[in-house]
Amino acid sequence: MKKLSEHPSMIKMQSMINEVPMATMTIRNIDDQLKGRLRVQAALHGRSMEDEARDILRAALSVEPARGVSLMAAVRARIAPLGGIELEQPAREAIRTPPELGA
């Protein structure tokens, strides 16, 4: 007697559960030298050029990109070793009365 997991409908259902949607991508205008290097690297790893390209993309995109420093922090870090200066704060004035428009 067959196990339930060997039943054809169960096998089909298991394959549907394990299926992950995959996209297709075409890359055009790759120079011959780059394509040759990809072919050699794929052969060294014992896989197809397509598998090698997938692995390269996966590795390159698996790490989070480094967050850049804010412009203010970059300027401050560059100028801080020079010492800095104290600026005199301008005197504040009372708010002027707005002009009358019309009449």
Side-chain angles (χ1 to χ4, degrees):
M1 183 165 194
K2 284 186 176 183
K3 294 180 186 176
L4 183 60
S5 62
E6 294 175 359
H7 193 272
S9 62
M10 286 300 290
I11 293 171
K12 184 176 181 181
M13 191 182 317
Q14 286 172 345
S15 69
M16 288 172 56
I17 292 171
N18 295 333
E19 237 177 69
V20 177
M22 297 283 177
T24 301
M25 181 171 71
T26 302
I27 302 174
R28 293 181 178 83
N29 301 323
I30 295 177
D31 62 64
D32 291 337
Q33 184 180 13
L34 183 62
K35 184 178 176 185
R37 288 178 61 196
L38 180 62
R39 179 177 289 128
V40 168
Q41 186 169 322
L44 289 172
H45 292 144
R47 54 185 167 202
S48 69
M49 286 176 39
E50 191 173 275
D51 282 340
E52 188 69 20
R54 262 194 299 272
D55 192 58
I56 291 168
L57 284 171
R58 192 177 299 109
L61 299 175
S62 66
V63 294
E64 288 293 319
R67 283 200 58 131
V69 180
S70 71
L71 179 59
M72 182 182 76
V75 169
R76 180 173 285 150
R78 189 141 200 192
I79 294 176
L82 303 176
I85 58 171
E86 290 295 322
L87 297 174
E88 184 180 326
Q89 294 290 323
R92 295 204 166 242
E93 299 176 5
I95 297 175
R96 294 181 295 180
T97 306
E100 293 289 327
L101 300 175

